[in-house]
Amino acid sequence: MLHTLGLLLGCQLLGEVTVRGFGLLMPGPVLGLALLVLILGAMPTLAERLRPTTTVILANLSFLFVPAGVGVIGNLEVLSADGIALLAILTLSTVLSMLAAVGTFICVRHATERWAP
């Protein structure tokens, strides 16, 4: 389990270091996840070795939300002062994200239809 956890955290660390080192405008863990996908694509048998570790992590995922909940409770004065603005921003960003996902799906669908025989 330590080796697989080391691989997961190592990919995340490498992504974070790369993003900060090159000043990229994306989250480091996203780049680390892309690296992990590439590694798993190159070595498919590694996925089975990762499965027990990832199952334990996913089974206990709710514990990872506790610090975020504590942060929200610790900043209630910010929420009460700027609650309406935060709600508007969250709503707008959610709608924009959904529209971006739909637009991407439509573009990919059109691109694949052109290449399909």
Side-chain angles (χ1 to χ4, degrees):
M1 185 172 193
L2 288 178
H3 288 63
T4 57
L5 192 59
L7 175 65
L8 295 172
L9 293 175
C11 287
Q12 182 175 354
L13 176 65
L14 189 59
E16 192 69 40
V17 168
T18 304
V19 164
R20 289 179 189 232
F22 290 108
L24 301 175
L25 297 175
M26 68 183 304
V30 171
L31 186 62
L33 181 62
L35 174 64
L36 181 63
V37 168
L38 290 174
I39 291 171
L40 291 175
M43 299 170 25
T45 58
L46 187 59
E48 285 304 316
R49 290 180 48 205
L50 283 174
R51 189 174 308 279
T53 303
T54 55
T55 302
V56 169
I57 291 172
L58 289 174
N60 296 297
L61 191 61
S62 60
F63 290 120
L64 299 176
F65 293 108
V66 171
V70 170
V72 167
I73 297 300
N75 293 305
L76 281 179
E77 65 278 354
V78 173
L79 286 175
S80 63
D82 300 322
I84 301 298
L86 287 171
L87 183 63
I89 290 169
L90 287 172
T91 303
L92 181 64
S93 64
T94 300
V95 169
L96 290 175
S97 297
M98 289 176 168
L99 290 174
V102 168
T104 302
F105 173 78
I106 291 170
C107 289
V108 169
R109 188 183 68 193
H110 287 302
T112 55
E113 284 176 355
R114 275 187 264 156
W115 294 328

